[in-house]
Amino acid sequence: MSSNPLDDPAADPFALAATAAAEIAEKTGVERHDIALTLGSGWGSAADLIGETTATIPANEITGFSKPALVGHTGTLRSVLLPSGKRALVIGARTHYYEGHGVRRVVHSVRTAAATGASTMILTNGAGGIRETWAPGTPVLISDHINLTADSPLEGATFIDLTDLYSARLRAIARQIEPSLDEGVYTQLRGPHYETPAEVQMVKAIGGHLVGMSTALEAIAAREAGMEVLGMSLVTNLAAGISATPLSHAEVIESGQLAEPVISALLARIVAAL
Ligand code: 8IG
């Protein structure tokens, strides 16, 4: 196991993000990126659809990034030239909170994206759906979140307003592209276990519509960095107890793969409209 500089409590996570961004600029030959996308389960093909990939970097070659913990998570950073001439940084390497490396490692990709110049952060994920009407394969715009990790990427007395964290402006653009897109409140839990049915009922009672293990902490860090955030979930499964059948990771992966072409094309159309 190689050590990660972010694990040193004395390290400055923003300085390490700036270092990572400089390395990305050097390795991609792209001075500044405008938009960043983190592609979660089911969303990966969007990278091929949004534009022309001009550089692909194994994430572990960049300061602070780690090898992906999970098969199906690609572990690369890609620089994509959009038809508009804008540059997108596609992050296919997400560190999850449940990996236990701490929240600095979780949000490093977002801070790095901001340091590359990106002013828009698109966060995508696979999630469990609490609304019965959301069949597996349904994409949902994230309108707000509930952070049940009991953690924060902010350190010290850093008071950041999270009203309109998930930009109403960007959501309106997404709904212009696809008027049938539903919105929902994403609830981040620590995982890696899925919820019990009782926990899903608790999340429903407090106003959550989606359950997942990423995104909320990343969105907070994106806002701290001054970025405008668009969040989208792919409902890969009904949350525990909403459907009669138990959850299996294999089924979650499979429904993600089935929906991937459709939702990736949708995301590409949204990116083109930003
Ligand atoms: I994909 O049902 C996916 N990720 N917490 N619950 C939680 N995370 C998830 C789920 C789910 N499905």
Side-chain angles (χ1 to χ4, degrees), residues 41 125-129 186-195 200 210-214 234-240 247 249 252-253:
S41 317
N125 60 56
Y186 180 88
T187 306
Q188 180 174 359
L189 295 103
R190 182 195 180 280
H193 50 271
Y194 295 120
E195 296 69 37
V200 169
L210 299 153
V211 278
M213 305 179 195
S214 66
L234 167 67
V235 175
T236 58
N237 58 280
L238 289 176
L247 272 62
H249 182 61
V252 164
I253 296 290

Side-chain angles (χ1 to χ4, degrees), residues 35 47 66 72 106 128 133 191 214 239 243 261:
I35 297 178
S66 350
V106 170
T133 54
S214 66
S243 146

Side-chain angles (χ1 to χ4, degrees), residues 133-199:
T133 54
W134 290 341
T138 305
V140 178
L141 275 175
I142 299 175
S143 58
D144 202 346
H145 81 217
I146 299 173
N147 171 14
L148 291 186
T149 65
D151 209 339
S152 172
L154 310 183
E155 299 179 28
T158 312
F159 305 111
I160 301 284
D161 175 51
L162 300 181
T163 311
D164 194 34
L165 174 56
Y166 297 88
S167 164
R169 189 184 78 85
L170 296 182
R171 281 186 280 137
I173 292 172
R175 296 182 80 154
Q176 260 167 20
I177 298 296
E178 184 49 69
S180 72
L181 264 179
D182 272 340
E183 296 193 345
V185 174
Y186 180 88
T187 306
Q188 180 174 359
L189 295 103
R190 182 195 180 280
H193 50 271
Y194 295 120
E195 296 69 37
T196 63
E199 288 166 344

Side-chain angles (χ1 to χ4, degrees), residues 190-263:
R190 182 195 180 280
H193 50 271
Y194 295 120
E195 296 69 37
T196 63
E199 288 166 344
V200 169
Q201 288 306 313
M202 175 195 75
V203 171
K204 185 178 179 180
I206 63 176
H209 307 115
L210 299 153
V211 278
M213 305 179 195
S214 66
T215 301
L217 294 170
E218 298 165 358
I220 296 167
R223 170 50 54 96
E224 178 191 28
M227 291 192 279
E228 201 175 7
V229 177
L230 178 69
M232 289 186 81
S233 288
L234 167 67
V235 175
T236 58
N237 58 280
L238 289 176
I242 300 292
S243 146
T245 52
L247 272 62
S248 93
H249 182 61
E251 279 173 57
V252 164
I253 296 290
E254 197 196 322
S255 62
Q257 284 168 351
L258 283 173
E260 186 149 0
V262 177
I263 60 163

